[in-house]
Amino acid sequence: MAPARAKTARACLSGMFAMAIADGAVMANPVRDAATRLNTSAKKAPRALTVEDTKRLVELFHVSPRATELDLADLVDWMLATGARIGEVLALRIGQTAGRPLLDLDAGTWEVNGTAVRIPKRGMGVQPRTKTAAGWRIIAVPAFAVDMVRRRLESPHRPDTELVFPTPVTGTLRDPTNVSTDMRQLLDSFECDVCNGTGFQPATNRTAAGRPVRCAEGPWSWVTSHTFRKTVATRLDEAGFTPRQVADQLGHANPSMTLDVYFGRQVVSAEAARVLGR
């Protein structure tokens, strides 16, 4: 059993025995008196992209025809510029809330107040709240990312939508799961000699359902969309930002989460935009 699940099970059982003692059913709590099993397994250190890795990966996304077709290069740029979750990025839109712009390009700020989710029996929609209460935040955006959004909004081929990163063809809200899948295949394919740049194992290797099997042998196969958040946290940490400042940038309630998981209030200092700029 995983350590976290074991801890939860122990707490539940201990509570049950405490109730039993109160009712006079038992005289002692064996769970409370039992020795706690120590978790001696090593915890993986967070892994982020180096500055050189980031530059190379951004280049690969921008020169990839498949990434262009899927409109992923700008999306990756925005994630690396802000550290936002993929659902928050897909929910990025123009417009106003409470009389103020969600995305203020003149001020270079973005109010993160929603996330893209799939609603049962209704399809995709923007949930008017973030993953956690601390996820609501106003963050400063680097100049290069502001310029990128301006370019997208001024494009004559832009669909009629408030979304900044809609689906390329229909202009509707993207599904984070589908985007993560497309990104996964691209990352597996980049500079991989084993799969010859396809992202999949040879056609002879298929799942029981006949689907292709991903190739995880490429130099970028370890990267996920969440790696971009860890990269932002690491860049800010290296620049001397406090855990509290980095937690506010990422939308964490507790800096301890940022320290434990992401290092390898409300309006965050504009210095973050300078550090994340190019």
Coordinates of all heavy atoms in Angstrom, one line a residue, residues 148-205:
M148 N 3.0 38.0 -27.9 CA 2.4 36.8 -28.5 C 0.9 36.8 -28.6 O 0.3 36.5 -29.6 CB 3.0 35.6 -27.8 CG 2.4 34.2 -28.4 SD 1.0 33.6 -27.5 CE 1.8 33.1 -25.9
V149 N 0.3 37.2 -27.4 CA -1.2 37.2 -27.4 C -1.7 38.3 -28.3 O -2.7 38.1 -29.0 CB -1.6 37.5 -25.9 CG1 -3.1 37.7 -25.9 CG2 -1.3 36.3 -25.1
R150 N -1.1 39.5 -28.3 CA -1.5 40.5 -29.3 C -1.5 40.0 -30.7 O -2.4 40.3 -31.5 CB -0.6 41.8 -29.1 CG -0.7 42.5 -27.8 CD 0.0 43.9 -27.9 NE 0.1 44.5 -26.7 CZ -0.8 45.3 -26.2 NH1 -1.9 45.5 -26.9 NH2 -0.6 45.9 -25.0
R151 N -0.4 39.3 -31.1 CA -0.4 38.8 -32.4 C -1.5 37.8 -32.7 O -2.1 37.8 -33.8 CB 1.0 38.1 -32.6 CG 1.1 37.2 -33.9 CD 2.5 36.6 -34.0 NE 2.9 35.9 -32.9 CZ 2.5 34.6 -32.6 NH1 1.6 34.0 -33.4 NH2 3.0 34.0 -31.6
R152 N -1.8 37.0 -31.7 CA -2.9 36.0 -31.9 C -4.2 36.7 -32.1 O -5.1 36.3 -32.9 CB -2.9 35.0 -30.7 CG -1.7 34.1 -30.7 CD -1.9 33.1 -29.5 NE -3.0 32.2 -29.7 CZ -2.9 31.1 -30.3 NH1 -1.8 30.7 -30.8 NH2 -4.0 30.3 -30.4
L153 N -4.5 37.7 -31.2 CA -5.7 38.4 -31.3 C -5.9 39.2 -32.5 O -7.1 39.5 -33.0 CB -5.9 39.3 -30.0 CG -5.9 38.7 -28.7 CD1 -6.0 39.7 -27.6 CD2 -7.0 37.7 -28.6
E154 N -4.8 39.7 -33.1 CA -4.9 40.5 -34.4 C -4.9 39.6 -35.6 O -5.0 40.2 -36.7 CB -3.7 41.5 -34.4 CG -3.8 42.5 -33.3 CD -2.5 43.3 -33.2 OE1 -1.6 43.0 -33.9 OE2 -2.5 44.2 -32.3
S155 N -4.7 38.3 -35.5 CA -4.6 37.5 -36.7 C -6.0 37.4 -37.4 O -7.0 37.3 -36.8 CB -4.3 36.0 -36.3 OG -4.4 35.1 -37.4
P156 N -5.9 37.6 -38.8 CA -7.2 37.6 -39.6 C -7.8 36.2 -39.6 O -8.9 36.0 -40.0 CB -6.7 38.0 -40.9 CG -5.2 37.7 -41.0 CD -4.7 37.9 -39.6
H157 N -7.0 35.2 -39.2 CA -7.5 33.8 -39.2 C -8.1 33.4 -37.9 O -8.5 32.2 -37.7 CB -6.4 32.8 -39.6 CG -5.7 33.2 -40.9 ND1 -6.4 33.1 -42.1 CD2 -4.5 33.6 -41.2 CE1 -5.6 33.5 -43.1 NE2 -4.4 33.8 -42.6
R158 N -8.1 34.3 -36.9 CA -8.6 34.0 -35.6 C -10.1 33.7 -35.6 O -10.9 34.4 -36.1 CB -8.2 35.2 -34.6 CG -8.9 35.0 -33.3 CD -8.5 36.2 -32.4 NE -9.3 36.3 -31.2 CZ -9.2 35.4 -30.2 NH1 -8.3 34.5 -30.2 NH2 -10.0 35.5 -29.1
P159 N -10.5 32.6 -34.9 CA -11.9 32.3 -34.8 C -12.6 33.4 -34.0 O -12.0 34.1 -33.2 CB -12.0 30.9 -34.1 CG -10.6 30.4 -34.3 CD -9.7 31.5 -34.3
D160 N -13.9 33.5 -34.1 CA -14.7 34.4 -33.4 C -15.0 33.9 -32.0 O -16.0 33.2 -31.7 CB -16.0 34.7 -34.1 CG -16.8 35.8 -33.4 OD1 -16.3 36.5 -32.5 OD2 -18.1 35.9 -33.6
T161 N -14.0 34.1 -31.1 CA -14.1 33.6 -29.7 C -13.3 34.5 -28.8 O -12.4 35.2 -29.2 CB -13.6 32.2 -29.6 OG1 -13.6 31.7 -28.3 CG2 -12.2 32.1 -30.2
E162 N -13.7 34.4 -27.5 CA -12.9 35.2 -26.5 C -11.7 34.4 -26.0 O -10.8 34.9 -25.3 CB -13.8 35.5 -25.2 CG -14.9 36.5 -25.5 CD -15.6 36.9 -24.2 OE1 -15.5 36.2 -23.2 OE2 -16.2 38.0 -24.2
L163 N -11.7 33.1 -26.3 CA -10.6 32.2 -25.9 C -9.3 32.6 -26.7 O -9.3 32.9 -27.9 CB -10.9 30.8 -26.2 CG -12.1 30.2 -25.5 CD1 -12.5 28.8 -26.1 CD2 -11.8 30.0 -24.0
V164 N -8.2 32.6 -26.0 CA -6.9 32.9 -26.6 C -6.3 31.7 -27.2 O -5.7 31.8 -28.3 CB -5.9 33.5 -25.5 CG1 -4.5 33.7 -26.1 CG2 -6.5 34.8 -24.9
F165 N -6.5 30.5 -26.7 CA -6.0 29.3 -27.2 C -7.1 28.3 -27.6 O -7.2 27.2 -26.9 CB -5.0 28.6 -26.3 CG -3.8 29.5 -25.9 CD1 -3.7 30.0 -24.7 CD2 -2.8 29.7 -26.9 CE1 -2.6 30.8 -24.4 CE2 -1.7 30.5 -26.6 CZ -1.6 31.1 -25.3
P166 N -8.0 28.6 -28.5 CA -9.1 27.7 -28.8 C -8.6 26.6 -29.7 O -7.4 26.5 -30.1 CB -10.1 28.6 -29.6 CG -9.2 29.6 -30.3 CD -8.0 29.8 -29.3
T167 N -9.5 25.6 -30.0 CA -9.1 24.6 -31.0 C -8.9 25.2 -32.3 O -9.5 26.2 -32.7 CB -10.3 23.6 -31.1 OG1 -11.5 24.3 -31.4 CG2 -10.5 22.8 -29.8
P168 N -7.9 24.8 -33.1 CA -7.5 25.4 -34.3 C -8.6 25.5 -35.3 O -8.6 26.5 -36.1 CB -6.3 24.6 -34.8 CG -5.8 23.9 -33.6 CD -7.0 23.6 -32.7
V169 N -9.4 24.5 -35.4 CA -10.4 24.5 -36.5 C -11.7 25.1 -36.1 O -12.3 26.0 -36.7 CB -10.6 23.1 -37.0 CG1 -11.7 23.0 -38.1 CG2 -9.3 22.5 -37.5
T170 N -12.3 24.7 -35.0 CA -13.7 25.1 -34.6 C -13.7 26.3 -33.7 O -14.7 26.9 -33.5 CB -14.4 23.9 -33.9 OG1 -13.7 23.6 -32.7 CG2 -14.5 22.7 -34.8
G171 N -12.5 26.6 -33.1 CA -12.5 27.8 -32.2 C -13.2 27.6 -30.9 O -13.6 28.5 -30.2
T172 N -13.4 26.3 -30.5 CA -14.0 26.0 -29.2 C -13.0 25.7 -28.1 O -11.8 25.7 -28.3 CB -15.0 24.8 -29.4 OG1 -14.2 23.7 -29.9 CG2 -16.1 25.1 -30.3
L173 N -13.5 25.5 -26.9 CA -12.7 25.3 -25.7 C -12.0 23.9 -25.9 O -12.6 22.9 -26.1 CB -13.5 25.3 -24.5 CG -12.8 25.2 -23.1 CD1 -11.8 26.4 -22.9 CD2 -13.8 25.1 -22.0
R174 N -10.7 23.9 -25.6 CA -9.9 22.6 -25.7 C -10.1 21.8 -24.4 O -10.3 22.4 -23.3 CB -8.5 22.9 -25.9 CG -8.1 23.5 -27.3 CD -6.6 23.7 -27.3 NE -6.2 24.2 -28.6 CZ -4.9 24.3 -29.0 NH1 -3.9 24.0 -28.1 NH2 -4.6 24.7 -30.2
D175 N -9.9 20.5 -24.6 CA -10.0 19.6 -23.5 C -8.5 19.4 -23.0 O -7.6 19.0 -23.8 CB -10.5 18.2 -24.0 CG -10.7 17.2 -22.8 OD1 -10.0 17.3 -21.8 OD2 -11.6 16.4 -22.9
P176 N -8.2 19.7 -21.7 CA -6.9 19.6 -21.2 C -6.3 18.2 -21.4 O -5.1 18.0 -21.7 CB -7.0 19.9 -19.7 CG -8.2 20.8 -19.6 CD -9.2 20.2 -20.7
T177 N -7.2 17.1 -21.3 CA -6.7 15.8 -21.5 C -6.2 15.5 -22.9 O -5.1 15.0 -23.1 CB -7.8 14.8 -21.2 OG1 -8.2 14.9 -19.8 CG2 -7.3 13.3 -21.3
N178 N -6.9 16.0 -23.9 CA -6.6 15.9 -25.3 C -5.3 16.7 -25.6 O -4.4 16.2 -26.3 CB -7.7 16.3 -26.2 CG -8.9 15.4 -26.1 OD1 -8.8 14.3 -25.6 ND2 -10.0 15.9 -26.5
V179 N -5.2 17.8 -25.0 CA -4.0 18.7 -25.3 C -2.8 18.0 -24.7 O -1.7 17.9 -25.3 CB -4.2 20.1 -24.7 CG1 -2.9 20.9 -24.8 CG2 -5.3 20.8 -25.5
S180 N -2.9 17.4 -23.5 CA -1.8 16.7 -22.8 C -1.4 15.5 -23.6 O -0.2 15.2 -23.7 CB -2.2 16.3 -21.4 OG -2.5 17.4 -20.6
T181 N -2.4 14.8 -24.2 CA -2.0 13.7 -25.1 C -1.3 14.1 -26.3 O -0.3 13.5 -26.7 CB -3.3 13.0 -25.5 OG1 -4.0 12.5 -24.3 CG2 -3.0 11.8 -26.4
D182 N -1.7 15.2 -27.0 CA -1.0 15.7 -28.1 C 0.4 16.1 -27.8 O 1.4 15.8 -28.5 CB -1.7 16.8 -28.8 CG -3.0 16.4 -29.4 OD1 -3.1 15.2 -29.8 OD2 -3.9 17.2 -29.5
M183 N 0.5 16.8 -26.6 CA 1.9 17.2 -26.2 C 2.8 16.1 -25.8 O 4.0 16.1 -26.1 CB 1.7 18.2 -25.0 CG 2.8 19.1 -24.7 SD 2.5 20.2 -23.3 CE 1.2 21.2 -24.1
R184 N 2.2 15.0 -25.2 CA 3.0 13.9 -24.9 C 3.6 13.2 -26.1 O 4.7 12.8 -26.1 CB 2.0 12.9 -24.2 CG 2.6 11.5 -23.9 CD 3.5 11.4 -22.7 NE 4.9 11.8 -23.1 CZ 5.6 12.7 -22.4 NH1 5.2 13.2 -21.3 NH2 6.8 13.0 -22.8
Q185 N 2.8 13.1 -27.2 CA 3.3 12.4 -28.4 C 4.4 13.3 -29.0 O 5.4 12.7 -29.5 CB 2.2 12.2 -29.4 CG 2.5 11.3 -30.5 CD 2.5 12.0 -31.9 OE1 1.6 12.9 -32.1 NE2 3.4 11.7 -32.8
L186 N 4.2 14.6 -29.0 CA 5.3 15.4 -29.6 C 6.6 15.4 -28.8 O 7.7 15.3 -29.3 CB 4.8 16.9 -29.6 CG 3.9 17.3 -30.8 CD1 3.3 18.6 -30.6 CD2 4.8 17.3 -32.1
L187 N 6.4 15.4 -27.4 CA 7.6 15.4 -26.6 C 8.4 14.0 -26.8 O 9.6 14.0 -26.8 CB 7.2 15.6 -25.1 CG 6.8 17.0 -24.8 CD1 6.1 17.0 -23.4 CD2 8.0 17.9 -24.7
D188 N 7.6 12.9 -26.9 CA 8.2 11.6 -27.2 C 8.9 11.6 -28.5 O 9.9 10.9 -28.7 CB 7.2 10.5 -27.1 CG 6.7 10.3 -25.7 OD1 7.4 10.6 -24.7 OD2 5.6 9.7 -25.5
S189 N 8.4 12.4 -29.5 CA 9.0 12.3 -30.8 C 10.2 13.2 -31.0 O 11.0 12.8 -31.9 CB 7.9 12.7 -31.8 OG 7.6 14.1 -31.8
F190 N 10.3 14.2 -30.3 CA 11.4 15.2 -30.5 C 12.8 14.5 -30.3 O 13.1 13.9 -29.3 CB 11.3 16.4 -29.5 CG 10.2 17.3 -29.9 CD1 9.6 18.1 -28.9 CD2 9.7 17.4 -31.2 CE1 8.6 19.0 -29.1 CE2 8.7 18.3 -31.4 CZ 8.1 19.1 -30.4
E191 N 13.6 14.6 -31.4 CA 15.0 14.2 -31.4 C 15.2 12.7 -30.9 O 16.2 12.4 -30.3 CB 15.8 15.1 -30.5 CG 15.8 16.6 -31.0 CD 16.7 17.5 -30.2 OE1 16.7 17.4 -28.9 OE2 17.4 18.3 -30.8
C192 N 14.2 11.9 -31.2 CA 14.2 10.5 -30.8 C 14.6 9.6 -32.0 O 13.9 9.5 -33.0 CB 12.9 10.0 -30.2 SG 12.9 8.3 -29.7
D193 N 15.8 8.9 -31.9 CA 16.2 8.0 -33.0 C 15.5 6.7 -32.9 O 15.4 6.0 -33.9 CB 17.7 7.9 -32.9 CG 18.5 9.2 -33.2 OD1 17.9 10.0 -33.9 OD2 19.5 9.3 -32.6
V194 N 15.1 6.3 -31.7 CA 14.5 5.0 -31.5 C 13.2 4.9 -32.3 O 12.9 3.8 -33.0 CB 14.2 4.7 -30.0 CG1 13.5 3.4 -29.8 CG2 15.5 4.7 -29.2
C195 N 12.3 5.9 -32.2 CA 11.0 5.8 -32.9 C 11.0 6.6 -34.2 O 10.0 6.7 -34.8 CB 9.9 6.3 -32.0 SG 10.0 8.1 -31.6
N196 N 12.2 7.1 -34.6 CA 12.3 7.8 -35.8 C 11.4 9.1 -35.9 O 10.9 9.4 -36.9 CB 12.0 6.9 -37.0 CG 12.6 7.5 -38.3 OD1 13.5 8.3 -38.3 ND2 11.9 7.2 -39.4
G197 N 11.3 9.7 -34.7 CA 10.5 10.9 -34.6 C 9.0 10.8 -34.7 O 8.3 11.8 -34.9
T198 N 8.5 9.6 -34.4 CA 7.0 9.4 -34.5 C 6.4 9.5 -33.1 O 5.2 9.8 -33.0 CB 6.7 8.0 -35.1 OG1 7.1 7.0 -34.2 CG2 7.3 7.8 -36.5
G199 N 7.1 9.2 -32.1 CA 6.6 9.2 -30.7 C 6.0 7.9 -30.3 O 5.5 7.7 -29.2
F200 N 6.0 6.9 -31.3 CA 5.4 5.6 -31.0 C 6.4 4.5 -31.3 O 7.3 4.6 -32.1 CB 4.1 5.4 -31.8 CG 3.0 6.4 -31.5 CD1 2.7 7.4 -32.4 CD2 2.3 6.3 -30.3 CE1 1.7 8.3 -32.2 CE2 1.3 7.2 -30.0 CZ 1.0 8.2 -31.0
Q201 N 6.2 3.4 -30.6 CA 7.0 2.2 -30.9 C 6.6 1.6 -32.3 O 5.6 2.0 -32.8 CB 6.8 1.1 -29.8 CG 7.3 1.6 -28.4 CD 7.1 0.5 -27.4 OE1 6.9 -0.6 -27.7 NE2 7.2 0.9 -26.1
P202 N 7.5 0.7 -32.8 CA 7.2 0.2 -34.1 C 5.7 -0.4 -34.2 O 5.1 -0.8 -33.2 CB 8.2 -1.0 -34.3 CG 9.3 -0.5 -33.4 CD 8.7 0.2 -32.2
A203 N 5.2 -0.3 -35.4 CA 3.8 -0.7 -35.6 C 3.5 -2.1 -35.1 O 2.3 -2.4 -34.8 CB 3.4 -0.5 -37.1
T204 N 4.5 -3.0 -35.0 CA 4.2 -4.3 -34.6 C 3.9 -4.4 -33.1 O 3.3 -5.3 -32.6 CB 5.5 -5.2 -34.8 OG1 6.6 -4.5 -34.3 CG2 5.7 -5.4 -36.3
N205 N 4.3 -3.3 -32.4 CA 4.0 -3.2 -30.9 C 2.7 -2.5 -30.7 O 2.6 -1.3 -30.9 CB 5.1 -2.5 -30.2 CG 6.4 -3.3 -30.2 OD1 6.4 -4.5 -30.5 ND2 7.5 -2.7 -30.0

